[in-house]
Amino acid sequence: MSNFNQITESNVPILIDFHAQWCGPCKNLIPTLENLAAQYEDKVIVAKVNVDNERDITTNFGVMNLPTVLVMNNHEVVEKFIG
């Protein structure tokens, strides 16, 4: 993900969805995240990270379980939920 570093340096809150194609619960979360992205379009960035394709990013954030969703504000993780 070439622009991921630019996204995480944003001054706008960022919601990062760590997911995989094979993860059933990840697929169940998609409609909720898409709704949030649409509802807060100009106020938050929603980024999706496929853990199978972006192993470096996944490792850097210490993601061990899926789905994992992180919320970043001011360049720091301020909230995290798993499952």
Side-chain angles (χ1 to χ4, degrees), residues 3-39:
N3 63 352
F4 189 78
N5 288 336
Q6 292 172 333
I7 290 170
T8 58
E9 292 299 317
S10 172
N11 291 324
V12 176
I14 306 158
L15 186 145
I16 307 170
D17 171 30
F18 290 89
H19 67 280
Q21 292 291 83
W22 47 264
C23 173
C26 298
K27 292 177 184 179
N28 292 336
L29 190 57
I30 291 171
T32 301
L33 296 178
E34 288 176 348
N35 185 30
L36 285 171
Q39 189 174 2

Side-chain angles (χ1 to χ4, degrees), residues 4-5 16-19 49-66 68 70 77 80:
F4 189 78
N5 288 336
I16 307 170
D17 171 30
F18 290 89
H19 67 280
V49 176
N50 183 315
V51 299
D52 292 328
N53 298 337
E54 303 293 343
R55 294 181 190 262
D56 289 344
I57 295 170
T58 302
T59 301
N60 288 344
F61 280 96
V63 174
M64 304 284 284
N65 298 298
L66 296 179
T68 293
L70 304 177
V77 175
K80 177 179 183 176

Side-chain angles (χ1 to χ4, degrees), residues 32-47:
T32 301
L33 296 178
E34 288 176 348
N35 185 30
L36 285 171
Q39 189 174 2
Y40 296 100
E41 183 176 356
D42 297 328
K43 297 177 179 143
V44 68
I45 296 170
V46 176

